[in-house]
Amino acid sequence: MKTLKFGGTSVGKPERMRHIARLITQDPDPKIVVLSALSGTTNSLVEIGENLFKKEIEKAGKLIQDLVDHYISFINELYTDERSRESASNAINEHFNFMKGLLSSFFNKRLNNELLAQGELMSTKLFSFYLEEQGIHSRLISALDYMYIDEDKEPDIAFINEKLSGILDQNKGAGIFITQGYICRNHEGEIDNLQRGGSDYTATLIGAAIDAPEVQIWTDIDGMHNNDPRIVEKTYAISNLSFNEASELAYFGAKILHPSSIWPAQKYNIPVRLKNTMQPDAYGTFISDIEEEKKIKAVAAKDGITAIKIKSSRMLMAYGFLRKIFQIFENYRTPIDMISTSEVAVSLTIDDATNLKSIMDDLEDFGEVVVDDNQTIICIVGNKIVEKEEILQKVFRAMENVPVRMISYGGSRYNISILVDTKFKNETLKELNKHIFDI
Ligand code: ADP
Ligand code: ASP
Ligand code: MG
């Protein structure tokens, strides 16, 4: 069974929802359709949650009312039949009643996670009612019944497989299954999520769990581009990517894919196709285990990086020094992205600065600690690019006027990473576009 995921903009307008109903019924193959929340909804829910934490009840109430108004007009436009409008309104009202109830409750993290889940719960209901109105047979299945993350927030594919297979078996013949992206349960059985943009991850986890022939990610652009199209003017869609290339790009900031979304597909060798909902005939990007010749494929950028330098004369010739440094990051469950060392200092980067203060306190036992925030990792990706000498020359030429804080080369065959101050990000991406893609 194929897995198809439609992102926020693909379901964000009534005519788009009608359009994807046509797309998924073009062939009779059974499929699982994963939906995001309507575009803008999760952002609003995040904002409502922030206001509830700050006890800005009036502001939160206003934001909820804005959402209510948006959904009322969406429902009025989507359906043609009064009965469908009524069923959809009743279903959506339950969600808004829950949200309004939060205005007078003691708000906490658990309720915030429940709040964040409302977007996908609502979009899937709206879509199911629409399919029903159109006489298209489908079954809505709740991700909360099979999508699960453990104590370390890692999804458990064996568990997902067991639960989901059971649900699919019970509903044999349904043909089209509709389900929510992004939302899941955690090890305590509470509602949780796979982090922002997590619907892509839902789709590949499902694909891996049911051994799908393919996972399709339908979005608002014709595939993975060679550079960030929000920043660089001339970019183009890449036809083919290997899993290694795609996972580097996703992890290092290409927003079209959730950072973790490629590993389940790679582990279970399920091809992933990126497609444009508005241009279904465009080829898009095909991600598989096929590795092409040595070539730069794309550049991506990941913001919000903190660089930490530990300077210590004791590092000189001391074995075990790095282990002690790494242990501190492990103690605070903080992953390290880049690392570079010299005889007397080591610099590394993290993207989760939640425990920065404690990490710094512990690192100070080893030497002088200097922290630079607002850094960006620029990542240049392509199969075996580190084996092509002229690539590094081109990269350095592009970086001529940009101060480089760190560089990582040779860590993998697919990736060259450069750390710059975020204020130089746009210029760096544009220069790299000129020098390495000649556009
Ligand atoms: P969805 O809501 O469908 O999940 P997203 O907004 O999460 O869509 O992802 C698609 C967007 O990702 C595109 O509109 C584009 O602006 C942005 N993007 C950033 N980098 C890239 C890239 N390298 N290739 C394609 N799109 C990218
Ligand atoms: N709705 C969620 C978000 O906006 C998940 C997703 O769209 O992938 O982050
Ligand atoms: Mg997305």
Side-chain angles (χ1 to χ4, degrees), residues 118-185:
Q118 301 306 307
E120 273 71 10
L121 291 170
M122 293 196 290
S123 64
T124 46
K125 281 190 187 165
L126 291 178
F127 189 57
S128 295
F129 282 120
Y130 179 69
L131 293 181
E132 197 178 309
E133 186 188 79
Q134 297 303 302
I136 300 164
H137 188 49
S138 74
R139 180 113 213 148
L140 176 58
I141 56 175
S142 175
L144 301 176
D145 292 336
Y146 65 83
M147 192 53 71
Y148 168 88
I149 49 173
D150 66 17
E151 229 165 322
D152 296 321
K153 295 201 167 288
E154 292 296 331
D156 180 340
I157 293 188
F159 179 91
I160 298 166
N161 170 304
E162 188 190 314
K163 289 282 178 195
L164 187 54
S165 306
I167 297 170
L168 298 180
D169 281 349
Q170 279 165 20
N171 294 286
K172 274 204 176 97
I176 298 175
F177 292 92
I178 310 296
T179 195
Q180 303 85 12
Y182 176 62
I183 65 173
C184 61
R185 284 196 190 274

Side-chain angles (χ1 to χ4, degrees), residues 75-322:
I75 287 172
N76 283 336
E77 211 183 313
L78 178 63
Y79 307 100
T80 43
D81 169 352
E82 211 39 59
R83 270 205 357 251
S84 309
R85 279 196 192 113
E86 206 182 305
S87 318
S89 301
N90 290 340
I92 295 307
N93 275 341
E94 280 179 32
H95 295 276
F96 282 116
N97 287 340
F98 161 75
M99 288 184 230
K100 287 174 186 162
L102 296 175
L103 297 171
S104 51
S105 328
F106 174 74
F107 196 61
N108 57 21
K109 194 161 183 301
R110 184 181 60 77
L111 285 173
N112 191 45
N113 280 340
E114 259 180 71
L115 170 65
L116 296 178
Q118 301 306 307
E120 273 71 10
L121 291 170
M122 293 196 290
S123 64
T124 46
K125 281 190 187 165
L126 291 178
F127 189 57
S128 295
F129 282 120
Y130 179 69
L131 293 181
E132 197 178 309
E133 186 188 79
Q134 297 303 302
I136 300 164
H137 188 49
S138 74
R139 180 113 213 148
L140 176 58
I141 56 175
S142 175
L144 301 176
D145 292 336
Y146 65 83
M147 192 53 71
Y148 168 88
I149 49 173
D150 66 17
E151 229 165 322
D152 296 321
K153 295 201 167 288
E154 292 296 331
D156 180 340
I157 293 188
F159 179 91
I160 298 166
N161 170 304
E162 188 190 314
K163 289 282 178 195
L164 187 54
S165 306
I167 297 170
L168 298 180
D169 281 349
Q170 279 165 20
N171 294 286
K172 274 204 176 97
I176 298 175
F177 292 92
I178 310 296
T179 195
Q180 303 85 12
Y182 176 62
I183 65 173
C184 61
R185 284 196 190 274
N186 61 26
H187 67 289
E188 283 172 333
E190 294 167 352
I191 295 181
D192 211 319
N193 62 67
L194 302 173
Q195 309 294 321
R196 294 306 306 272
S199 300
D200 304 327
Y201 200 15
T202 303
T204 55
L205 286 167
I206 292 178
I210 64 163
D211 196 22
E214 180 171 299
V215 172
Q216 296 179 355
I217 304 221
W218 290 80
T219 182
D220 60 356
I221 190 164
D222 54 347
M224 177 75 80
H225 278 221
N226 69 307
N227 206 329
D228 193 325
R230 295 166 299 178
I231 296 166
V232 179
E233 255 175 47
K234 292 182 196 153
T235 62
Y236 55 83
I238 306 161
S239 304
N240 297 293
L241 282 173
S242 68
F243 287 127
N244 287 320
E245 291 168 335
S247 62
E248 297 270 5
L249 288 167
Y251 185 72
F252 286 106
K255 193 198 170 215
I256 186 170
L257 283 172
H258 178 280
S260 305
S261 57
I262 292 299
W263 76 258
Q266 179 161 26
K267 187 166 177 198
Y268 294 86
N269 200 9
I270 317 280
V272 177
R273 212 180 270 281
L274 308 181
K275 295 283 285 175
N276 187 347
T277 310
M278 290 301 115
Q279 285 173 30
D281 296 330
Y283 181 83
T285 299
F286 184 68
I287 303 166
S288 71
D289 63 349
I290 301 166
E291 308 227 320
E292 292 182 320
E293 80 284 20
K294 300 173 193 172
K295 192 165 123 192
I296 298 188
K297 287 289 186 61
V299 172
K302 184 174 176 180
D303 294 330
I305 303 293
T306 305
I308 305 168
K309 180 160 72 188
I310 307 111
K311 249 173 101 175
S312 166
S313 51
R314 272 186 291 158
M315 185 177 170
L316 193 73
M317 312 279 284
Y319 58 82
F321 181 83
L322 285 178

Side-chain angles (χ1 to χ4, degrees), residues 303-432:
D303 294 330
I305 303 293
T306 305
I308 305 168
K309 180 160 72 188
I310 307 111
K311 249 173 101 175
S312 166
S313 51
R314 272 186 291 158
M315 185 177 170
L316 193 73
M317 312 279 284
Y319 58 82
F321 181 83
L322 285 178
R323 185 184 53 74
K324 289 178 198 146
I325 299 281
F326 288 157
Q327 184 65 51
I328 293 170
F329 288 86
E330 191 180 328
N331 293 347
Y332 293 102
R333 295 176 164 227
T334 302
I336 296 168
D337 280 329
M338 281 177 79
I339 166 155
S340 89
T341 62
S342 81
E343 189 93 313
V344 290
V346 52
S347 273
L348 30 83
T349 70
I350 56 172
D351 74 348
D352 175 4
T354 320
N355 295 310
L356 181 61
K357 178 78 187 65
S358 313
I359 291 174
M360 280 173 69
D361 287 348
D362 290 7
L363 287 174
E364 264 152 18
D365 292 344
F366 296 94
E368 187 197 340
V369 181
V370 183
V371 170
D372 294 315
D373 54 10
N374 290 325
Q375 304 288 303
T376 292
I377 295 177
I378 310 272
C379 179
I380 301 147
V381 172
N383 186 30
K384 298 187 189 157
I385 51 170
V386 296
E387 292 170 16
K388 269 197 145 177
E389 310 75 43
E390 72 270 20
I391 287 178
L392 205 52
Q393 286 165 10
K394 286 181 181 175
V395 170
F396 281 133
R397 236 172 273 138
M399 303 301 295
E400 227 163 55
N401 296 312
V402 181
V404 173
R405 168 73 175 76
M406 277 169 75
I407 178 155
S408 163
Y409 177 83
S412 86
R413 295 178 335 180
Y414 317 98
N415 167 328
I416 302 170
S417 298
I418 296 164
L419 188 73
V420 298
D421 192 299
T422 302
K423 63 177 182 252
F424 296 113
K425 166 178 131 175
N426 291 4
E427 182 186 343
T428 308
L429 290 178
K430 286 176 189 163
E431 286 299 315
L432 285 168

